[in-house]
Amino acid sequence: MNISTELAEMSSYGGFFALTVGGDASGWHPVGQFYADGCLDSIDATLERYRTTESRIGASLVHLGHAARLWSPVLACVLSHGVLPDLTDLQRADDGARLRLPEPIGEPVDNRSRPACVPNWRLPCCPATLRPRSSERPRRCFRCGPTCATGLSG
C-alpha cells in the first residue's frame, strides 16, 4: 500500500523522522553497501569532525545516528498510523547520513502481533504521547505535533 501521506507526516516531526521518498536515485546507494563497507567512510568523517583518533567514538556516533534515522520513522509510522514501511530497498546518501525509500510502500500492522502491554498500535492524541520538554514551546502530543490542541503546561 502507498504510505506517502504517513511518511510525510513523520518527516514533519523533525530531523531523525525524515526519510527522503522517491525522486532521482543518483547520489544514493543501497544501505546494505554501507553495512558491507563497515560504515568506514562515515566513521572516518566523524573522527575528523570531532578531531579524535578514537575509532570507538566515531563508530558509536555513526551507529547511534544511523539507528535513530532508521527506527524513528518506522516506529512513528507503526504507532501513529498502524503501518510498517517496507525497508527492502532502503538507500543511504552518498554524502551523508540521510536515508531514502525509492517507493513509499508499506503494510498495515496486524493487531494480533502487537505486545499485550500495547492496547492498540495506533496512539490516540493524549498526554501519554508527549514530545520531550522544551523551554521554547509548550509540550504537545507526539502524534499531532505543533497543531495539537492539547498543549500542557510544565
Side-chain angles (χ1 to χ4, degrees):
M1 76 184 265
N2 184 314
I3 61 167
S4 55
T5 302
E6 292 85 347
L7 290 170
E9 182 182 322
M10 297 310 104
S11 290
S12 75
Y13 291 171
F16 287 113
F17 292 93
L19 283 175
T20 300
V21 179
D24 185 12
S26 61
W28 300 91
H29 59 272
V31 75
Q33 179 183 335
F34 174 66
Y35 301 149
D37 294 342
C39 316
L40 292 178
D41 61 334
S42 292
I43 292 170
D44 290 342
T46 301
L47 291 174
E48 186 175 317
R49 187 170 42 254
Y50 284 89
R51 298 182 182 146
T52 183
T53 57
E54 294 281 338
S55 295
R56 64 186 174 83
I57 293 172
S60 292
L61 290 170
V62 168
H63 171 75
L64 293 171
H66 181 71
R69 283 179 178 81
L70 179 65
W71 293 113
S72 294
V74 170
L75 291 173
C77 276
V78 169
L79 295 174
S80 293
H81 296 285
V83 296
L84 180 65
D86 182 349
L87 302 179
T88 303
D89 296 321
L90 185 67
Q91 298 174 339
R92 187 170 186 278
D94 291 340
D95 62 353
R98 292 171 296 128
L99 297 176
R100 174 183 179 266
L101 289 174
E103 299 290 329
I105 56 175
E107 295 295 326
V109 175
D110 183 350
N111 263 338
R112 292 174 296 178
S113 64
R114 69 176 166 72
C117 62
V118 179
N120 191 329
W121 279 119
R122 294 186 178 136
L123 293 176
C125 179
C126 70
T129 60
L130 294 176
R131 286 184 177 204
R133 287 185 181 188
S134 169
S135 59
E136 296 150 11
R137 59 177 151 60
R139 298 188 313 167
R140 300 285 186 197
C141 166
F142 174 78
R143 180 174 182 199
C144 299
T147 61
C148 180
T150 62
L152 301 176
S153 60

mmCIF file of all heavy atoms in Angstrom, residues 76-110:
data_model
loop_
_atom_site.group_PDB
_atom_site.id
_atom_site.type_symbol
_atom_site.label_atom_id
_atom_site.label_comp_id
_atom_site.label_asym_id
_atom_site.label_seq_id
_atom_site.Cartn_x
_atom_site.Cartn_y
_atom_site.Cartn_z
ATOM 1 N N ALA A 76 7.414 5.534 14.447
ATOM 2 C CA ALA A 76 6.375 6.561 14.389
ATOM 3 C C ALA A 76 5.246 6.142 13.448
ATOM 4 O O ALA A 76 4.067 6.350 13.753
ATOM 5 C CB ALA A 76 6.969 7.896 13.959
ATOM 6 N N CYS A 77 5.579 5.555 12.307
ATOM 7 C CA CYS A 77 4.541 5.078 11.372
ATOM 8 C C CYS A 77 3.702 3.976 12.008
ATOM 9 O O CYS A 77 2.474 3.963 11.885
ATOM 10 C CB CYS A 77 5.169 4.566 10.077
ATOM 11 S SG CYS A 77 5.531 5.847 8.876
ATOM 12 N N VAL A 78 4.349 3.043 12.676
ATOM 13 C CA VAL A 78 3.617 1.940 13.304
ATOM 14 C C VAL A 78 2.711 2.458 14.413
ATOM 15 O O VAL A 78 1.530 2.134 14.473
ATOM 16 C CB VAL A 78 4.593 0.876 13.865
ATOM 17 C CG1 VAL A 78 3.870 -0.127 14.751
ATOM 18 C CG2 VAL A 78 5.297 0.151 12.726
ATOM 19 N N LEU A 79 3.259 3.293 15.289
ATOM 20 C CA LEU A 79 2.488 3.749 16.441
ATOM 21 C C LEU A 79 1.438 4.799 16.093
ATOM 22 O O LEU A 79 0.385 4.837 16.716
ATOM 23 C CB LEU A 79 3.430 4.283 17.518
ATOM 24 C CG LEU A 79 4.354 3.233 18.129
ATOM 25 C CD1 LEU A 79 5.344 3.890 19.076
ATOM 26 C CD2 LEU A 79 3.571 2.153 18.843
ATOM 27 N N SER A 80 1.717 5.648 15.122
ATOM 28 C CA SER A 80 0.764 6.700 14.783
ATOM 29 C C SER A 80 -0.280 6.277 13.749
ATOM 30 O O SER A 80 -1.392 6.768 13.780
ATOM 31 C CB SER A 80 1.499 7.928 14.238
ATOM 32 O OG SER A 80 2.268 8.521 15.239
ATOM 33 N N HIS A 81 0.123 5.392 12.839
ATOM 34 C CA HIS A 81 -0.778 5.055 11.726
ATOM 35 C C HIS A 81 -1.036 3.568 11.539
ATOM 36 O O HIS A 81 -1.825 3.188 10.683
ATOM 37 C CB HIS A 81 -0.221 5.628 10.423
ATOM 38 C CG HIS A 81 -0.175 7.121 10.423
ATOM 39 N ND1 HIS A 81 -1.284 7.901 10.283
ATOM 40 C CD2 HIS A 81 0.874 7.977 10.570
ATOM 41 C CE1 HIS A 81 -0.937 9.176 10.326
ATOM 42 N NE2 HIS A 81 0.361 9.248 10.520
ATOM 43 N N GLY A 82 -0.355 2.737 12.295
ATOM 44 C CA GLY A 82 -0.571 1.302 12.162
ATOM 45 C C GLY A 82 -0.058 0.732 10.855
ATOM 46 O O GLY A 82 -0.581 -0.262 10.361
ATOM 47 N N VAL A 83 0.981 1.367 10.274
ATOM 48 C CA VAL A 83 1.588 0.847 9.047
ATOM 49 C C VAL A 83 3.090 0.676 9.247
ATOM 50 O O VAL A 83 3.722 1.434 9.981
ATOM 51 C CB VAL A 83 1.322 1.753 7.819
ATOM 52 C CG1 VAL A 83 -0.152 1.803 7.488
ATOM 53 C CG2 VAL A 83 1.883 3.136 8.013
ATOM 54 N N LEU A 84 3.640 -0.323 8.597
ATOM 55 C CA LEU A 84 5.066 -0.624 8.684
ATOM 56 C C LEU A 84 5.712 -0.350 7.331
ATOM 57 O O LEU A 84 5.374 -1.006 6.339
ATOM 58 C CB LEU A 84 5.276 -2.087 9.067
ATOM 59 C CG LEU A 84 6.710 -2.560 9.203
ATOM 60 C CD1 LEU A 84 7.398 -1.847 10.361
ATOM 61 C CD2 LEU A 84 6.747 -4.064 9.418
ATOM 62 N N PRO A 85 6.611 0.647 7.249
ATOM 63 C CA PRO A 85 7.286 0.927 5.977
ATOM 64 C C PRO A 85 8.120 -0.270 5.523
ATOM 65 O O PRO A 85 8.726 -0.966 6.340
ATOM 66 C CB PRO A 85 8.201 2.112 6.299
ATOM 67 C CG PRO A 85 7.632 2.718 7.534
ATOM 68 C CD PRO A 85 7.011 1.585 8.292
ATOM 69 N N ASP A 86 8.151 -0.501 4.217
ATOM 70 C CA ASP A 86 8.957 -1.564 3.622
ATOM 71 C C ASP A 86 10.354 -1.011 3.391
ATOM 72 O O ASP A 86 10.556 -0.128 2.556
ATOM 73 C CB ASP A 86 8.334 -2.019 2.311
ATOM 74 C CG ASP A 86 9.094 -3.164 1.663
ATOM 75 O OD1 ASP A 86 10.217 -3.484 2.105
ATOM 76 O OD2 ASP A 86 8.548 -3.749 0.708
ATOM 77 N N LEU A 87 11.333 -1.513 4.128
ATOM 78 C CA LEU A 87 12.714 -1.023 4.044
ATOM 79 C C LEU A 87 13.584 -1.851 3.110
ATOM 80 O O LEU A 87 14.807 -1.680 3.087
ATOM 81 C CB LEU A 87 13.337 -0.989 5.441
ATOM 82 C CG LEU A 87 12.621 -0.139 6.488
ATOM 83 C CD1 LEU A 87 13.360 -0.226 7.820
ATOM 84 C CD2 LEU A 87 12.471 1.291 6.036
ATOM 85 N N THR A 88 12.978 -2.736 2.328
ATOM 86 C CA THR A 88 13.731 -3.636 1.460
ATOM 87 C C THR A 88 14.716 -2.893 0.571
ATOM 88 O O THR A 88 15.861 -3.307 0.417
ATOM 89 C CB THR A 88 12.770 -4.466 0.587
ATOM 90 O OG1 THR A 88 11.875 -5.173 1.446
ATOM 91 C CG2 THR A 88 13.520 -5.451 -0.285
ATOM 92 N N ASP A 89 14.295 -1.773 -0.024
ATOM 93 C CA ASP A 89 15.143 -1.036 -0.953
ATOM 94 C C ASP A 89 15.708 0.250 -0.349
ATOM 95 O O ASP A 89 16.052 1.188 -1.071
ATOM 96 C CB ASP A 89 14.341 -0.692 -2.219
ATOM 97 C CG ASP A 89 13.915 -1.943 -2.974
ATOM 98 O OD1 ASP A 89 14.727 -2.889 -3.044
ATOM 99 O OD2 ASP A 89 12.784 -1.967 -3.473
ATOM 100 N N LEU A 90 15.824 0.281 0.973
ATOM 101 C CA LEU A 90 16.322 1.468 1.666
ATOM 102 C C LEU A 90 17.690 1.869 1.128
ATOM 103 O O LEU A 90 18.549 1.020 0.884
ATOM 104 C CB LEU A 90 16.416 1.197 3.168
ATOM 105 C CG LEU A 90 16.797 2.374 4.056
ATOM 106 C CD1 LEU A 90 15.681 3.430 4.058
ATOM 107 C CD2 LEU A 90 17.073 1.898 5.473
ATOM 108 N N GLN A 91 17.881 3.189 0.963
ATOM 109 C CA GLN A 91 19.138 3.716 0.443
ATOM 110 C C GLN A 91 19.693 4.770 1.386
ATOM 111 O O GLN A 91 18.961 5.363 2.168
ATOM 112 C CB GLN A 91 18.918 4.326 -0.947
ATOM 113 C CG GLN A 91 18.445 3.320 -1.958
ATOM 114 C CD GLN A 91 18.092 3.969 -3.282
ATOM 115 O OE1 GLN A 91 17.839 5.163 -3.360
ATOM 116 N NE2 GLN A 91 18.074 3.166 -4.339
ATOM 117 N N ARG A 92 21.005 4.989 1.253
ATOM 118 C CA ARG A 92 21.704 5.985 2.070
ATOM 119 C C ARG A 92 22.364 6.986 1.140
ATOM 120 O O ARG A 92 22.843 6.641 0.060
ATOM 121 C CB ARG A 92 22.766 5.285 2.912
ATOM 122 C CG ARG A 92 23.434 6.208 3.917
ATOM 123 C CD ARG A 92 24.290 5.376 4.874
ATOM 124 N NE ARG A 92 24.819 6.205 5.920
ATOM 125 C CZ ARG A 92 25.903 6.964 5.775
ATOM 126 N NH1 ARG A 92 26.573 6.992 4.656
ATOM 127 N NH2 ARG A 92 26.326 7.702 6.784
ATOM 128 N N ALA A 93 22.400 8.239 1.545
ATOM 129 C CA ALA A 93 23.013 9.298 0.730
ATOM 130 C C ALA A 93 24.513 9.070 0.610
ATOM 131 O O ALA A 93 25.166 8.657 1.569
ATOM 132 C CB ALA A 93 22.735 10.663 1.343
ATOM 133 N N ASP A 94 25.042 9.339 -0.573
ATOM 134 C CA ASP A 94 26.481 9.221 -0.787
ATOM 135 C C ASP A 94 27.258 10.242 0.043
ATOM 136 O O ASP A 94 28.405 10.008 0.409
ATOM 137 C CB ASP A 94 26.831 9.452 -2.262
ATOM 138 C CG ASP A 94 26.347 8.330 -3.167
ATOM 139 O OD1 ASP A 94 26.085 7.221 -2.669
ATOM 140 O OD2 ASP A 94 26.229 8.581 -4.383
ATOM 141 N N ASP A 95 26.626 11.379 0.341
ATOM 142 C CA ASP A 95 27.331 12.474 1.003
ATOM 143 C C ASP A 95 26.899 12.709 2.446
ATOM 144 O O ASP A 95 27.145 13.768 3.001
ATOM 145 C CB ASP A 95 27.145 13.760 0.208
ATOM 146 C CG ASP A 95 25.686 14.185 0.127
ATOM 147 O OD1 ASP A 95 24.799 13.421 0.575
ATOM 148 O OD2 ASP A 95 25.425 15.288 -0.392
ATOM 149 N N GLY A 96 26.247 11.738 3.071
ATOM 150 C CA GLY A 96 25.822 11.956 4.450
ATOM 151 C C GLY A 96 24.991 10.818 4.990
ATOM 152 O O GLY A 96 24.977 9.723 4.437
ATOM 153 N N ALA A 97 24.271 11.103 6.051
ATOM 154 C CA ALA A 97 23.539 10.064 6.776
ATOM 155 C C ALA A 97 22.067 9.955 6.396
ATOM 156 O O ALA A 97 21.355 9.128 6.949
ATOM 157 C CB ALA A 97 23.663 10.335 8.278
ATOM 158 N N ARG A 98 21.598 10.796 5.468
ATOM 159 C CA ARG A 98 20.181 10.759 5.102
ATOM 160 C C ARG A 98 19.801 9.404 4.515
ATOM 161 O O ARG A 98 20.618 8.754 3.864
ATOM 162 C CB ARG A 98 19.859 11.860 4.082
ATOM 163 C CG ARG A 98 19.957 13.248 4.660
ATOM 164 C CD ARG A 98 19.842 14.317 3.592
ATOM 165 N NE ARG A 98 20.975 14.206 2.668
ATOM 166 C CZ ARG A 98 20.854 14.140 1.343
ATOM 167 N NH1 ARG A 98 19.680 14.198 0.768
ATOM 168 N NH2 ARG A 98 21.925 14.042 0.584
ATOM 169 N N LEU A 99 18.549 9.013 4.746
ATOM 170 C CA LEU A 99 18.032 7.756 4.226
ATOM 171 C C LEU A 99 16.910 8.034 3.233
ATOM 172 O O LEU A 99 16.202 9.036 3.345
ATOM 173 C CB LEU A 99 17.517 6.883 5.373
ATOM 174 C CG LEU A 99 18.570 6.439 6.387
ATOM 175 C CD1 LEU A 99 17.928 5.673 7.530
ATOM 176 C CD2 LEU A 99 19.652 5.601 5.721
ATOM 177 N N ARG A 100 16.741 7.125 2.273
ATOM 178 C CA ARG A 100 15.750 7.296 1.198
ATOM 179 C C ARG A 100 15.039 5.989 0.908
ATOM 180 O O ARG A 100 15.663 4.933 0.858
ATOM 181 C CB ARG A 100 16.446 7.768 -0.068
ATOM 182 C CG ARG A 100 15.561 7.838 -1.294
ATOM 183 C CD ARG A 100 16.391 8.261 -2.512
ATOM 184 N NE ARG A 100 15.597 8.326 -3.707
ATOM 185 C CZ ARG A 100 15.462 7.333 -4.580
ATOM 186 N NH1 ARG A 100 16.096 6.186 -4.381
ATOM 187 N NH2 ARG A 100 14.713 7.486 -5.645
ATOM 188 N N LEU A 101 13.738 6.095 0.718
ATOM 189 C CA LEU A 101 12.938 4.991 0.212
ATOM 190 C C LEU A 101 12.562 5.329 -1.226
ATOM 191 O O LEU A 101 11.935 6.362 -1.470
ATOM 192 C CB LEU A 101 11.661 4.801 1.040
ATOM 193 C CG LEU A 101 11.845 4.247 2.443
ATOM 194 C CD1 LEU A 101 10.511 4.259 3.187
ATOM 195 C CD2 LEU A 101 12.388 2.833 2.371
ATOM 196 N N PRO A 102 12.943 4.489 -2.191
ATOM 197 C CA PRO A 102 12.593 4.782 -3.583
ATOM 198 C C PRO A 102 11.081 4.849 -3.808
ATOM 199 O O PRO A 102 10.603 5.644 -4.601
ATOM 200 C CB PRO A 102 13.208 3.629 -4.372
ATOM 201 C CG PRO A 102 14.260 3.067 -3.487
ATOM 202 C CD PRO A 102 13.791 3.302 -2.085
ATOM 203 N N GLU A 103 10.340 4.028 -3.097
ATOM 204 C CA GLU A 103 8.882 3.979 -3.216
ATOM 205 C C GLU A 103 8.264 4.035 -1.821
ATOM 206 O O GLU A 103 8.740 3.369 -0.902
ATOM 207 C CB GLU A 103 8.430 2.687 -3.899
ATOM 208 C CG GLU A 103 8.957 2.512 -5.305
ATOM 209 C CD GLU A 103 8.333 3.487 -6.288
ATOM 210 O OE1 GLU A 103 7.160 3.864 -6.088
ATOM 211 O OE2 GLU A 103 9.025 3.875 -7.239
ATOM 212 N N PRO A 104 7.183 4.792 -1.648
ATOM 213 C CA PRO A 104 6.533 4.894 -0.330
ATOM 214 C C PRO A 104 5.562 3.741 -0.088
ATOM 215 O O PRO A 104 4.354 3.910 -0.099
ATOM 216 C CB PRO A 104 5.795 6.238 -0.428
ATOM 217 C CG PRO A 104 5.427 6.342 -1.878
ATOM 218 C CD PRO A 104 6.564 5.700 -2.627
ATOM 219 N N ILE A 105 6.109 2.553 0.100
ATOM 220 C CA ILE A 105 5.232 1.399 0.296
ATOM 221 C C ILE A 105 5.385 0.837 1.708
ATOM 222 O O ILE A 105 6.429 0.973 2.341
ATOM 223 C CB ILE A 105 5.470 0.292 -0.754
ATOM 224 C CG1 ILE A 105 6.942 -0.147 -0.770
ATOM 225 C CG2 ILE A 105 5.042 0.764 -2.133
ATOM 226 C CD1 ILE A 105 7.222 -1.301 -1.696
ATOM 227 N N GLY A 106 4.324 0.218 2.177
ATOM 228 C CA GLY A 106 4.316 -0.380 3.500
ATOM 229 C C GLY A 106 3.112 -1.297 3.633
ATOM 230 O O GLY A 106 2.321 -1.446 2.701
ATOM 231 N N GLU A 107 2.994 -1.870 4.792
ATOM 232 C CA GLU A 107 1.909 -2.812 5.077
ATOM 233 C C GLU A 107 1.229 -2.442 6.386
ATOM 234 O O GLU A 107 1.891 -1.981 7.315
ATOM 235 C CB GLU A 107 2.459 -4.235 5.203
ATOM 236 C CG GLU A 107 3.055 -4.786 3.929
ATOM 237 C CD GLU A 107 2.031 -4.974 2.830
ATOM 238 O OE1 GLU A 107 0.863 -5.303 3.145
ATOM 239 O OE2 GLU A 107 2.391 -4.761 1.662
ATOM 240 N N PRO A 108 -0.078 -2.674 6.466
ATOM 241 C CA PRO A 108 -0.749 -2.460 7.757
ATOM 242 C C PRO A 108 -0.194 -3.418 8.802
ATOM 243 O O PRO A 108 0.185 -4.539 8.481
ATOM 244 C CB PRO A 108 -2.216 -2.791 7.465
ATOM 245 C CG PRO A 108 -2.337 -2.850 5.987
ATOM 246 C CD PRO A 108 -0.978 -3.127 5.431
ATOM 247 N N VAL A 109 -0.127 -2.960 10.031
ATOM 248 C CA VAL A 109 0.337 -3.793 11.131
ATOM 249 C C VAL A 109 -0.850 -4.609 11.631
ATOM 250 O O VAL A 109 -1.931 -4.068 11.865
ATOM 251 C CB VAL A 109 0.914 -2.930 12.274
ATOM 252 C CG1 VAL A 109 1.289 -3.780 13.464
ATOM 253 C CG2 VAL A 109 2.109 -2.149 11.778
ATOM 254 N N ASP A 110 -0.641 -5.875 11.781
ATOM 255 C CA ASP A 110 -1.682 -6.770 12.276
ATOM 256 C C ASP A 110 -1.775 -6.626 13.788
ATOM 257 O O ASP A 110 -0.810 -6.883 14.496
ATOM 258 C CB ASP A 110 -1.323 -8.200 11.895
ATOM 259 C CG ASP A 110 -2.366 -9.213 12.296
ATOM 260 O OD1 ASP A 110 -3.304 -8.874 13.041
ATOM 261 O OD2 ASP A 110 -2.235 -10.365 11.864
#
